[in-house]
Amino acid sequence: MTSLKVAILCGGYGTRIRDVADNIPKAMIPVGANPILWHIMKYYAHFNHNKFILCLGHKGESIRDFFLNYETNMCDITVTLGGEISYHEKISEAGWDVTLAKTGLHSMTGARVKCIEKYLNKDKNFMLTYGDGVGDINLDKLLKFHLAHGKILTVTGVRPPGRFGELNSDSKGLVTEFNEKPQAIAGLISGGFFVCRKELFDYLNNREDLVFEQEPMRQLVKDNQMMVYKHEGFWQPMDTYRDYTLLNNLYNKGNAPWMIW
């Protein structure tokens, strides 16, 4: 299957989870020993998508530091003072290509995606997701579905905890309605794990308050350019302390469905 670049939105404040960690961005909050962002990237890399563009914002310097010092933190090392650092293991993530992109301290999701257009302008398709959610989505089948229908945007529809954007679609998967965070949820919601054609950028601009899940996605629906890939398996965001506890309990029990690497 084709290897695509993966853009990850990891610049949010995480206001509902500040009781876990207020000094790091939500994407860096750990599940087990490593940030949830790392788990997401490991999942994509398992399907051979290992070129990442991280959309940084709030406390993005901690994400930069994590990757700039990645091998030093992950491996046993010997430091020769005044000389070299020797690494005693080879990391399995060797070969990952990670672009750390400043996308604004206060920018909303649509503006953040627009900011990274220059890193994707030669790519016909790319993947896009959030830096705070994991699942056991079959990314090969997701990409195959996207390439087959030829529309601009594919969103993974999941059956959720609640509080996210509701999707309605026809029998072929064409999205006919999208409601951001409705009061009552009857069916599928947006779980992220998007696949996008480059034409998505025509629906975006650099306006700081542009929310990807509002104007752009609604316009894509109006233009019949948004399809839903229906996922009935595991999906879980880390949006609250309760979510944080759930994910860490799954990890600690060795029952984390997303850990397939």
Side-chain angles (χ1 to χ4, degrees), residues 151-196:
K151 303 291 186 180
I152 292 175
L153 182 66
T154 299
V155 55
T156 298
V158 297
R159 300 200 183 276
R163 71 181 183 273
F164 297 97
E166 183 181 16
L167 294 159
N168 292 316
S169 64
D170 66 15
S171 60
K172 295 181 180 179
L174 180 68
V175 177
T176 56
E177 187 177 10
F178 179 79
N179 297 307
E180 171 66 359
K181 300 183 180 179
Q183 292 299 311
I185 292 177
L188 296 176
I189 61 151
S190 169
F193 289 89
F194 303 97
V195 190
C196 320

Side-chain angles (χ1 to χ4, degrees), residues 150-154 174 203 220-221 223-227:
K151 303 291 186 180
I152 292 175
L153 182 66
T154 299
L174 180 68
Y203 289 78
L220 284 160
V221 171
D223 293 344
N224 293 325
Q225 286 295 328
M226 184 169 151
M227 299 286 286

Side-chain angles (χ1 to χ4, degrees), residues 82-120:
E84 298 181 349
I85 298 175
S86 301
Y87 298 94
H88 294 279
E89 303 112 299
K90 289 186 178 180
I91 57 170
S92 61
E93 298 79 31
W96 284 15
D97 184 359
V98 184
T99 299
L100 301 158
K102 293 183 289 186
T103 58
L105 184 60
H106 305 292
S107 299
M108 301 303 287
T109 49
R112 291 193 191 282
V113 178
K114 184 64 174 178
C115 282
I116 63 167
E117 181 176 6
K118 60 186 175 183
Y119 299 116
L120 293 160

